Amino acid sequence: MSDLKHSSVFFANFAGYLKAAGYSPAQSQRFMWKPHQVSDLNMVGHNRDRDFSKLALQKNQLEQVHADHKPEHSLVDRDFYRKHKIILVLVPGFTHETLKNLSLHEEMERSDSPHHVLMLQPGESSGSTRETVFNEGDGFKFVYAKYPRSNAASQHIAKPFFELLHNSKTLRRWVEEDGYRLFFMGYSYGCPLSLELFANLNTGRFKDDFLLKNTLGFLAMCGAIGGSYLADDVMKPTSKLVFIPKLVALCRKYPLLSKIVGLPTRQFQDDMEDGVRSLTREERQMRMAQYAQELPPHLKYFSIAAVMPMQDYKRKWWHFNLDDYTMYLQAKVSEPVSVYNDGQVVMADNLIPRPAHIPESHFYHLGAVRAHHWAVSYKTFNFGWNQFPRKPFYKALIHTIFELGLKDRS
C-alpha cells in the first residue's frame, strides 16, 4: 500500500473518532489535512511548495467521511483494550525531566485511565530501575520510559535507556510470564533514540534477552529523526531566538535563570550544548545513515507528522497563550525552509529511513494533522492552552496501527 492509502485510512479513522467525540465536520476541519503521498509534496529546496493547496481540506470532503462513519467502526474501546495484550512504551522528548507536564498526559495522569500506567525511572543504584504506578486499569499496559539525561547527546542516553527497560522487573514479567508484546511510541527526540535503541539491540551491542524479539513495531510522532533546523539555528551566534552556549553560560552565572529555563543542575547545563548539537541536521543525518542499516527487519514502522500554518498560531499578547506564541517564534526559523513544519521539525525530517533490507510493506506514513509540535502531546506545555483533540487523535492512531500492521500479530 502507498503512503496515500495509509494516510487515507488514518484520515477516515481520525474523522470518525472526532465525530464520536461530538465534533462537527466544520470543527474537525480545523485539525485535519487531506491524505497525501509523500512524493507529491515538494517539502524543501528551491522548488518547494509555498502554500498548503496539496493538503487543504474542503468541508464537503469531510462531511462525506462523517456521513459514512458508523458507531460500529470505532474499534478502540474498553473491550479492544482488554482483548489485546499490548504494552505501549512511550519514549518522550528533549528535556522531559524538567517539564511539569508529561507527554500524553490525558492517559498518563488520569486516575480514570482505562490503562495500567507505569513510569520507569533510573533507580538509586547504577543501572537499576524505579517503577511508579499511576493507575491500575484493565486496558493496555502503558509505560512511560523516563530515560535520564534527557537533554544530552544520544550517545550518553543510549545505554541508560536500554538498562531502564531491560532491568524493569514489571516489564519483564508482563512479557515473559503474562504474554504481552511491546509497541514503542516515540515523541520528538524520543523517535531517533528509539531507532538507535532498535539498532543497538539488533546488532547485539546491547545484550538483550526479551525486548527486541517481543517488539511488534514503532510509531514516530513529530520525530526529529533527520534533525531540526531549529537546533541548527540556536547553535549559531546569529540565532533568531537564543544562542545556546551563551544561554548555558548565563545559567551558570545566575541560578534563578537556570531554574526558569529548565537547566536547574550542573549536569543539565553541561549536557545542553551537546544535546542540542545532537539534534542538528548534520549530526542526525550522520547518525541516521549509520543506524538505518542496522534496524531490525521484523518491526512495523509508522510515522505521523504535524503541520501548522503560521496564520493558525495565536500570537498576540491578549490571547494569553504562551505555548502558541513561543512555538510561533520557533516556527519562524523553519518556515523559510518548508511550510510543512510543526514549529520545531519539518515533515521531511520526521520520516523514518527506509533501508533496502527492510520490506517496503513494513513502512506506514499516516499523513499529518493540523497542529503544532506541542499540541499533539500536551494540553499545555508551559502557560498556554491548545484545543487539539488529543484523545480522538490517540484512538485513531491506535486503530490505524492495528488495522494496517498489527491486526494479525498481537
Side-chain angles (χ1 to χ4, degrees):
M1 295 175 73
S2 67
D3 294 330
L4 179 60
K5 291 181 179 179
H6 295 151
S7 59
S8 296
V9 173
F10 170 75
F11 175 83
N13 287 333
F14 190 25
Y17 285 104
L18 286 171
K19 177 183 177 182
Y23 289 82
S24 68
Q27 291 170 325
S28 299
Q29 189 176 355
R30 294 166 48 205
F31 309 113
M32 301 184 71
W33 294 112
K34 280 194 309 189
H36 63 266
Q37 184 75 20
V38 168
S39 57
D40 290 339
L41 305 181
N42 296 318
M43 298 188 194
V44 296
H46 178 70
N47 295 321
R48 65 187 180 278
D49 297 335
R50 306 285 177 161
D51 60 28
F52 300 94
S53 57
K54 294 179 181 178
L55 295 183
L57 182 62
Q58 302 301 316
K59 182 181 175 183
N60 63 338
Q61 295 173 295
L62 202 47
E63 286 174 340
Q64 186 59 52
V65 175
H66 264 239
D68 291 343
H69 189 271
K70 308 301 179 187
E72 58 269 22
H73 296 165
S74 295
L75 174 71
V76 178
D77 55 18
R78 286 183 180 265
D79 287 337
F80 172 84
Y81 293 141
R82 294 187 187 103
K83 179 180 177 182
H84 296 280
K85 287 194 167 188
I86 295 294
I87 303 169
L88 292 176
V89 180
L90 176 66
V91 187
F94 196 69
T95 70
H96 64 255
E97 293 166 283
T98 66
L99 303 179
K100 64 179 183 292
N101 300 307
L102 301 177
S103 300
L104 275 70
H105 68 98
E106 280 96 345
E107 297 300 337
M108 288 300 307
E109 297 172 289
R110 277 173 51 206
S111 60
D112 65 335
S113 172
H115 307 305
H116 191 138
V117 181
L118 176 71
M119 177 183 284
L120 303 181
Q121 296 174 266
E124 293 183 3
S125 60
S126 178
S128 65
T129 300
R130 178 160 60 97
E131 305 182 349
T132 303
V133 175
F134 277 74
N135 185 64
E136 294 188 17
D138 60 355
F140 288 156
K141 308 296 189 185
F142 203 125
V143 173
Y144 190 97
K146 199 170 185 180
Y147 56 85
R149 295 183 67 179
S150 59
N151 69 327
S154 59
Q155 302 94 301
H156 300 302
I157 298 173
K159 188 66 178 294
F161 176 32
F162 161 69
E163 292 173 342
L164 185 74
L165 299 171
H166 200 257
N167 295 334
S168 167
K169 294 179 181 179
T170 301
L171 196 62
R172 183 180 289 272
R173 185 183 74 249
W174 284 343
V175 170
E176 296 185 338
E177 298 180 18
D178 299 338
Y180 277 77
R181 309 290 291 281
L182 299 159
F183 185 90
F184 283 75
M185 298 174 63
Y187 168 65
S188 194
Y189 195 28
C191 296
L193 294 176
S194 296
L195 292 173
E196 290 194 22
L197 172 69
F198 300 146
N200 284 323
L201 296 178
N202 193 44
T203 58
R205 283 191 290 269
F206 294 165
K207 302 305 179 184
D208 157 50
D209 58 5
F210 83 99
L211 291 172
L212 185 59
K213 67 182 180 182
N214 289 295
T215 296
L216 299 174
F218 166 67
L219 168 69
M221 185 166 68
C222 298
I225 296 171
S228 168
Y229 290 95
L230 179 63
D232 291 352
D233 177 80
V234 296
M235 289 305 294
K236 298 175 183 176
T238 56
S239 170
K240 298 180 179 67
L241 293 173
V242 60
F243 181 40
I244 290 296
K246 183 176 180 180
L247 176 64
V248 172
L250 288 172
C251 286
R252 288 181 173 139
K253 187 175 181 180
Y254 302 106
L256 179 59
L257 176 65
S258 68
K259 294 179 181 179
I260 293 173
V261 301
L263 299 175
T265 68
R266 178 52 67 104
Q267 183 70 72
F268 276 102
Q269 294 162 14
D270 290 346
D271 282 341
M272 191 64 177
E273 286 188 49
D274 279 347
V276 175
R277 190 173 291 108
S278 184
L279 281 166
T280 59
R281 297 192 72 258
E282 180 180 8
E283 178 72 14
R284 281 294 107 211
Q285 297 283 334
M286 179 190 71
R287 294 193 68 80
M288 183 169 63
Q290 295 170 351
Y291 69 69
Q293 306 308 315
E294 302 171 342
L295 290 173
H298 76 279
L299 301 187
K300 298 296 184 76
Y301 297 90
F302 299 82
S303 62
I304 184 78
V307 171
M308 184 88 151
M310 298 298 276
Q311 67 267 22
D312 282 13
Y313 288 95
K314 295 178 180 178
R315 52 189 187 270
K316 302 298 184 182
W317 68 265
W318 57 83
H319 287 137
F320 297 102
N321 192 325
L322 188 56
D323 281 6
D324 269 18
Y325 180 67
T326 304
M327 190 59 69
Y328 166 73
L329 295 178
Q330 296 179 41
K332 289 174 71 174
V333 174
S334 298
E335 184 71 10
V337 177
S338 175
V339 296
Y340 303 120
N341 74 80
D342 63 15
Q344 290 195 352
V345 180
V346 303
M347 190 194 296
D349 290 326
N350 178 220
L351 302 176
I352 298 173
R354 302 188 178 191
H357 72 282
I358 302 178
E360 185 66 22
S361 60
H362 283 211
F363 294 99
Y364 307 82
H365 177 61
L366 304 184
V369 292
R370 189 164 181 160
H372 62 55
H373 190 81
W374 291 336
V376 300
S377 189
Y378 301 97
K379 180 185 295 183
T380 175
F381 186 79
N382 39 47
F383 296 106
W385 190 271
N386 69 76
Q387 301 300 318
F388 183 73
R390 282 166 301 281
K391 287 173 67 177
F393 172 58
Y394 302 150
K395 288 183 177 181
L397 282 176
I398 291 170
H399 186 146
T400 306
I401 288 166
F402 271 81
E403 184 176 353
L404 291 178
L406 301 188
K407 187 162 49 178
D408 300 323
R409 305 183 75 186
S410 62

